[in-house]
Amino acid sequence: MTGSDATPSFRLAYVPGVMPDKWVRIWNERQPDVPLTLTQVPAVAAAERLLDGDADAGLVRTPVDREVFSAIPLYTEQTVVVVPKDHLVTAVDEVAPEDLDDDIVLHPLDDVLDWESLPGRPALERPATTADAIELVAAGIGVLAVPLSLARLHHRKDLTHRPLKDAPESSVALAWPEAAKTDLIEDFIGIVRGRTVNSTRGRQQPPARGESADADRGGARRKPAAGKSAAGKSAAGKSAGAKRTGKSGRGAPKNDRRGKPRRRS
């Protein structure tokens, strides 16, 4: 957030592959007076940007240092292998690690998957970035395992992807410095968790223009007008009901002619 004398704003960092568009749209609807600024940062630099105060919160990839940051897990992505369209594995719906034994599996320096043992054969050098690795796949030099969102981000017409079984997965979380939580961060937490505007778990929102405070509290009952007690209204309803039934007895109309034939002149 900017200084106290300036217009407040919310700065959100996000890593490649994460698409915050839906959450940004909801923010703009609920907070029209608080602009949201988006900044894409490399996954390896996201923590540093948050600690330096360049962003209020970030959509980052796990793991997150929980001694420094608070974090809310959002979702886990499927891992896929990116290959040329004429690769043999395109004949199957899902690829096993052993299916890549004869392939060079590229391992970029900015890889976000925590491999214990990379499948396939290693390349002579590690590409600097995932974008560089995609170019090598297109050149027929190897294949690449990435989260699905990164495969879509670097989509090319000459490449395709297939789900990769038994591979590590990447999760995305909303994170912020533990000592720097603000009301605006709480508002964004409510959005990513799907809370409604009037959710009691989020900050209390002011009633819309023209709405009363009672309506904002969930429709509190109005007091009956003077002289019209609830009991009196109930008694009046019973009396009217008795007249409509037409039964004899107290409250029945006099000179009831129902059932008597009309005499002809």
Side-chain angles (χ1 to χ4, degrees):
M1 187 186 301
T2 57
S4 58
D5 295 333
T7 302
S9 65
F10 185 64
R11 299 165 301 164
L12 181 69
Y14 68 102
V15 297
V18 175
M19 304 297 290
D21 298 2
K22 176 182 177 181
W23 297 323
V24 172
R25 175 180 55 79
I26 297 174
W27 176 277
N28 291 334
E29 292 172 355
R30 296 186 183 180
Q31 301 279 7
D33 298 327
V34 183
L36 188 153
T37 303
L38 287 173
T39 304
Q40 182 172 289
V41 299
V44 294
E48 182 180 355
R49 294 291 183 90
L50 291 174
L51 288 177
D52 288 345
D54 294 332
D56 300 302
L59 297 170
V60 303
R61 293 192 180 274
T62 59
V64 176
D65 186 351
R66 299 307 292 266
E67 293 185 359
V68 179
F69 297 101
S70 295
I72 297 174
L74 298 179
Y75 58 87
T76 298
E77 290 194 69
Q78 183 182 53
T79 299
V80 300
V81 57
V82 180
V83 298
K85 281 194 170 181
D86 59 355
H87 196 283
L88 291 175
V89 299
T90 59
V92 298
D93 294 330
E94 192 175 51
V95 179
E98 55 267 25
D99 295 332
L100 304 176
D101 285 347
D102 295 331
D103 288 284
I104 293 175
V105 178
L106 301 167
H107 192 200
L109 294 175
D110 65 353
D111 184 26
V112 297
L113 298 174
D114 186 17
W115 292 98
E116 290 186 4
S117 178
L118 198 69
R121 298 185 292 128
L124 294 177
E125 294 183 2
R126 294 182 65 180
T129 66
T130 297
D132 293 336
I134 290 288
E135 294 297 326
L136 293 175
V137 175
I141 295 177
V143 300
L144 176 66
V146 290
L148 178 58
S149 67
L150 290 180
R152 290 173 173 170
L153 177 66
H154 298 288
H155 171 72
R156 289 175 53 121
K157 292 183 179 180
D158 53 347
L159 301 180
T160 187
H161 58 267
R162 292 290 186 273
L164 181 60
K165 296 191 300 182
D166 303 324
E169 296 176 321
S170 176
S171 297
V172 174
L174 174 66
W176 63 92
E178 188 170 355
K181 187 175 182 180
T182 65
D183 286 341
L184 293 180
I185 292 175
E186 182 64 44
D187 290 339
F188 196 77
I189 291 172
I191 289 174
V192 299
R193 283 186 161 175
R195 297 177 192 162
T196 62
V197 176
N198 295 322
S199 171
T200 57
R201 296 184 65 186
R203 281 204 299 150
Q204 183 69 30
Q205 299 291 332
R209 184 175 299 177
E211 291 184 358
S212 67
D214 285 344
D216 189 54
R217 287 196 293 267
R221 291 183 180 179
R222 295 182 179 179
K223 294 181 180 180
K228 293 184 178 180
S229 65
K233 184 177 180 181
S234 175
K238 290 182 179 180
S239 177
K243 289 182 179 180
R244 284 194 296 269
T245 59
K247 295 180 180 180
S248 59
R250 184 178 300 176
K254 296 180 179 180
N255 300 325
D256 189 358
R257 295 179 178 271
R258 283 182 297 175
K260 296 181 180 180
R262 180 177 298 178
R263 180 177 299 173
R264 293 184 180 180
S265 58

